[in-house]
Amino acid sequence: MRILWLYKYDRKYNFDKWLHLEYVRHVKQLGYDIIAYGPRLEEEYYDIMLVPYRPSLSWEELIDMSGADIAILNTRSRAFE
């Protein structure tokens, strides 16, 4: 089972990183199949990201590309525009 973690990264608001992408990193290190996707992830989390963010990428394309079985949208306050 593959998990797709959706997140909009912003360095200036990353004070709670252990609840977000650092958690994803840890889960991946434990051997779970988890990948992240969202704006600006390449700035700090290139090792867990699927591909660089593209606003034109449709949901269907993202699911086909990732092969995800489950998607988690992390943090309402920084969800995608």
Side-chain angles (χ1 to χ4, degrees), residues 28-47:
K28 187 172 186 82
Q29 289 171 353
L30 291 174
Y32 291 92
D33 192 5
I34 186 168
I35 50 175
Y37 177 75
R40 301 174 63 185
L41 294 185
E42 68 277 359
E43 293 177 19
E44 184 72 28
Y45 295 98
Y46 53 87
D47 57 317

Side-chain angles (χ1 to χ4, degrees), residues 24-74:
V24 173
R25 218 177 232 164
H26 180 70
V27 168
K28 187 172 186 82
Q29 289 171 353
L30 291 174
Y32 291 92
D33 192 5
I34 186 168
I35 50 175
Y37 177 75
R40 301 174 63 185
L41 294 185
E42 68 277 359
E43 293 177 19
E44 184 72 28
Y45 295 98
Y46 53 87
D47 57 317
I48 58 171
M49 62 183 246
L50 174 63
V51 293
Y53 176 71
R54 292 184 312 191
S56 63
L57 190 64
S58 72
W59 177 249
E60 290 80 13
E61 292 171 317
L62 181 58
I63 295 302
D64 285 345
M65 181 185 305
S66 68
D69 299 299
I70 295 173
I72 297 173
L73 177 59
N74 188 215

Side-chain angles (χ1 to χ4, degrees), residues 14-33:
N14 205 30
F15 54 86
D16 55 355
K17 66 183 183 176
W18 293 105
L19 298 173
H20 305 295
L21 293 177
E22 289 297 329
Y23 175 75
V24 173
R25 218 177 232 164
H26 180 70
V27 168
K28 187 172 186 82
Q29 289 171 353
L30 291 174
Y32 291 92
D33 192 5

